[in-house]
Amino acid sequence: QVQLVESGGGLVQAGGSLRLSCTDSGRTFSSYNMAWFRQAPGKEREFVAGISWSGGSTLYTDSVKGRFTISRDNAKNTVYLQMNSLKPEDTAVYYCAARRPTTKIQTTAYDYWGQGTQVTVSS
């Protein structure tokens, strides 16, 4: 059973940084590919970043490349999203998600979701 809990959201000024964490209380974390998604008000949820079960592969949406870094610590059952140079358009509820691994990191069809954490970037 995968149970994901996010933390680390908050209010930050443009140009600032935040680090989101997502911890799985289950025993199979290292078997899953993990990802971060976000949903801004009035918009659909979108893929932000993904990481393979081993941490050896990552994938980012174009708008966050060079600013966000996804990483994981399988010993701690935790995936992170380091967000630097934040912009007002990064404001959203951020969700972590898990799915069974595939050859390539997927941007859709994740099976397990956390409850989300709010990130607000002021201009």
Side-chain angles (χ1 to χ4, degrees):
Q1 184 73 12
V2 177
Q3 293 182 317
L4 304 174
V5 179
E6 302 98 334
S7 61
L11 173 64
V12 64
Q13 290 188 334
S17 298
L18 281 175
R19 188 176 81 156
L20 305 183
S21 300
C22 172
T23 299
D24 174 24
S25 60
R27 299 183 178 182
T28 58
F29 178 81
S30 61
S31 301
Y32 289 86
N33 283 5
M34 300 297 297
W36 288 95
F37 289 75
R38 67 186 179 187
Q39 187 167 20
K43 296 187 177 181
E44 293 188 354
R45 187 162 53 189
E46 66 170 344
F47 174 87
V48 176
I51 188 166
S52 62
W53 63 272
S54 66
S57 298
T58 57
L59 180 68
Y60 298 91
T61 193
D62 286 347
S63 62
V64 307
K65 285 180 181 177
R67 299 189 299 123
F68 291 11
T69 302
I70 189 171
S71 62
R72 67 189 297 162
D73 185 339
N74 285 344
K76 296 182 178 180
N77 282 11
T78 301
V79 61
Y80 304 97
L81 186 67
Q82 178 66 44
M83 305 185 294
N84 299 329
S85 302
L86 283 160
K87 304 175 181 180
E89 51 264 43
D90 294 318
T91 295
V93 178
Y94 283 71
Y95 299 89
C96 72
R99 63 163 291 157
R100 292 291 186 184
T102 53
T103 303
K104 295 184 178 180
I105 295 172
Q106 301 297 310
T107 62
T108 61
Y110 280 73
D111 301 309
Y112 303 98
W113 295 84
Q115 83 289 349
T117 186
Q118 177 70 48
V119 171
T120 302
V121 184
S122 63
S123 57

